[in-house]
Amino acid sequence: MDSAKTVFLFPGVGAQQPDMFAEFLVYPEYRERLQEVSELSQVNLQEVIHGERRDALKQVRVAQLALTATTVAIADILRKHCGLVPDFVMGHSLGQYPAMCAAGYLDLATLTQVVNLRSEIVEACARQFEQGEMCWVLHAPAATVAQEVEKARAEDGVNIYISAIDAFDQATVSGEMAEIRRFAPRMEAMGGLLYPLKIGGPFHSPLMAEARAQLERQLDFLPTAQPVEQLSRLVCNVSGAETPAANIKASILQHLTSPVQWLRSLQYVAQNGVTRYLEISPKSVLSYLTQRANLPMQSVCEPQDLFAFAQTMSAPQNRREQFLQRCCYHLYSAKLPVLDDPGALQQLRRIRTEVKETLADANHKQGEQAAFIHARTQQWLNIIEDAGAVSLAIDKRRLQHLYDAAERCA
């Protein structure tokens, strides 16, 4: 890892599996997050994921809670032990919720309340449909699938909707299975294939309007102010663009009745300079979709290698290198805003000189050197904020986490 922009990807339901992330049980943060979500939801996730109740993972609500707790925990471990805080976070379907937590928009207690409440309301709504379902439509251009869905609804009264655009040639439709079967011949005539996801409801479509109305009445507990500890930029998988904290409630509600725009979200982060991604998942799902998007983005590591990656990056030398690389990026590589203050420019030149001299001085102890460079880099960011009239709060928090990780006991 270096200063290249990175996005963390969080999966939706379907990625869960028994004993997922078992290697991470050695980390207290992992065990603590499982315990916290278990107590708040009254679901013993230790037993469900790593114990004797693994069949419960087939229940949508339990799977959502399990994925939320585990993926948030791993993002926490990567931040605290490795100093890794991504520039962007995004998730597919349910994955948007742990992404909110990893970005600092919601704490885990509030997030658990949202996920628990949402799953109960959504499942109750889904039971009103006769075999409500979601189906992948494969081997057909997603844009064509969207057009055919509109035509089928307008011409034949087929009550289905696009519920996800995952790749150029992969979309998802939602509706009752009888309606999806009516639509299938249109796609089959074009060489397309429909594959039921067996997820139990017509999610991410206007058919969930009742669930949206019920949830809206119960989300008053959500914070409305800008998060104090925002760490990353959150990309909403409905709009395919960055979501400010003030729009969290609207985003959660829209998420119920609108399609997941995964391809558009990937394109957004790529357009904003992201060149690397890390899928925090028990298995490779989103990495596959990302590769198919044909974007200039590379995987940091495969999901099955997450534990080894965390162990490697948490080694003292690697933590220190990550920290120093980020400092050097700010001091010598990052583009500066227009600064008209001669005094500020003089201060910045002095900081560069002092850091360069400190890095070249072999007599400095590592701890003292890191503390000095950290202080000077934070000073650098403060000067740019004041003189350039820009906000660098997220950059300063990320730098602090890198420093904290670098200074952790080996």
Side-chain angles (χ1 to χ4, degrees):
M1 295 284 289
D2 51 34
S3 58
K5 286 188 177 181
T6 304
V7 60
F8 281 6
L9 309 178
F10 295 82
V13 172
Q16 75 278 4
Q17 55 191 32
D19 223 25
M20 58 184 177
F21 303 124
E23 294 169 309
F24 283 93
L25 282 164
V26 299
Y27 287 98
E29 291 87 355
Y30 182 86
R31 301 191 301 272
E32 289 164 6
R33 299 299 169 268
L34 259 62
Q35 182 66 26
E36 182 177 359
V37 175
S38 295
E39 291 176 355
L40 291 167
S41 65
Q42 298 300 297
V43 176
N44 188 330
L45 293 179
Q46 177 70 32
E47 281 294 306
V48 167
I49 301 170
H50 305 295
E52 302 301 320
R53 294 182 54 205
R54 300 179 183 188
D55 279 351
L57 272 177
K58 297 175 183 177
Q59 301 171 26
V60 173
R61 172 175 171 265
V62 174
Q64 290 181 345
L65 292 166
L67 284 169
T68 296
T70 54
T71 57
V72 165
I74 291 169
D76 223 15
I77 289 164
L78 292 174
R79 175 172 55 84
K80 291 182 178 178
H81 291 263
C82 310
L84 300 182
V85 180
D87 299 88
F88 290 89
V89 294
M90 52 190 268
H92 193 286
S93 189
L94 166 83
Q96 179 158 308
Y97 296 93
M100 289 178 186
C101 190
Y105 280 56
L106 296 177
D107 59 47
L108 185 55
T110 304
L111 178 65
T112 302
Q113 191 176 355
V114 172
V115 171
N116 216 15
L117 186 61
R118 175 184 178 273
S119 64
E120 290 174 355
I121 291 173
V122 163
E123 285 189 64
C125 182
R127 285 194 291 270
Q128 299 176 21
F129 296 94
E130 185 70 30
Q131 282 191 297
E133 190 54 275
M134 300 176 72
C135 289
W136 280 333
V137 184
L138 307 172
H139 312 312
T144 301
V145 176
Q147 291 170 1
E148 290 300 314
V149 166
E150 292 294 327
K151 287 181 183 178
R153 221 170 38 246
E155 297 171 2
D156 303 328
V158 178
N159 195 22
I160 65 167
Y161 296 87
I162 289 288
S163 49
I165 302 290
D166 290 333
F168 293 107
D169 60 350
Q170 181 173 319
T172 306
V173 295
S174 286
E176 293 185 328
M177 276 307 301
E179 297 293 281
I180 293 173
R181 290 190 191 100
R182 290 178 62 198
F183 173 71
R186 285 178 174 262
M187 291 295 96
E188 290 165 355
M190 300 172 141
L193 171 69
L194 272 73
Y195 182 86
L197 298 183
K198 298 180 181 179
I199 203 164
F203 306 124
H204 299 296
S205 79
L207 296 173
M208 303 305 293
E210 184 178 330
R212 173 175 175 155
Q214 290 184 36
L215 187 60
E216 184 172 12
R217 292 192 290 269
Q218 300 185 52
L219 287 180
D220 291 340
F221 61 87
L222 286 175
T224 56
Q226 188 70 17
V228 176
E229 279 295 319
Q230 183 181 347
L231 299 172
S232 303
R233 296 161 67 182
L234 173 70
V235 176
C236 172
N237 63 23
V238 171
S239 65
E242 189 175 348
T243 297
N247 290 357
I248 284 295
K249 181 177 178 179
S251 175
I252 289 172
L253 295 172
Q254 188 182 14
H255 196 249
L256 290 178
T257 55
S258 302
V260 173
Q261 296 288 353
W262 186 252
L263 177 59
R264 186 188 299 171
S265 300
L266 287 173
Q267 291 169 332
Y268 178 84
V269 295
Q271 289 163 5
N272 280 271
V274 169
T275 56
R276 290 198 289 209
Y277 62 91
L278 177 65
E279 180 178 1
I280 301 181
S281 173
K283 59 185 178 182
S284 181
V285 178
L286 303 179
S287 295
Y288 172 66
L289 294 177
T290 304
Q291 291 161 12
R292 291 174 61 195
N294 296 322
L295 295 168
M297 294 166 58
Q298 295 183 335
S299 175
V300 172
C301 82
E302 293 302 312
Q304 64 268 24
D305 299 325
L306 264 174
F307 181 75
F309 173 74
Q311 293 281 286
T312 298
M313 296 307 298
S314 63
Q317 184 60 31
N318 286 334
R319 283 184 268 136
R320 184 171 183 274
E321 285 180 8
Q322 285 290 304
F323 164 70
L324 291 177
Q325 284 175 354
R326 175 57 60 171
C327 290
C328 289
Y329 165 75
H330 284 305
L331 297 176
Y332 303 106
S333 300
K335 185 178 179 180
L336 291 175
V338 176
L339 302 177
D340 296 324
D341 183 351
L345 291 170
Q346 185 177 359
Q347 286 180 289
L348 295 179
R349 284 193 291 268
R350 185 172 67 249
I351 289 172
R352 275 182 172 172
T353 301
E354 291 175 348
V355 169
K356 186 176 181 180
E357 290 173 351
T358 301
L359 287 169
D361 188 351
N363 295 321
H364 264 105
K365 293 181 179 178
Q366 281 192 0
E368 293 176 356
Q369 184 188 65
F372 178 85
I373 294 172
H374 175 242
R376 289 295 181 270
T377 307
Q378 290 286 18
Q379 183 184 1
W380 172 279
L381 295 174
N382 288 333
I383 292 168
I384 293 173
E385 265 195 326
D386 293 340
V390 295
S391 175
L392 297 175
I394 294 178
D395 296 274
K396 291 192 286 187
R397 291 189 198 107
R398 292 181 65 198
L399 183 64
Q400 185 64 52
H401 283 294
L402 276 167
Y403 175 69
D404 292 342
E407 292 304 292
R408 284 178 68 95
C409 295

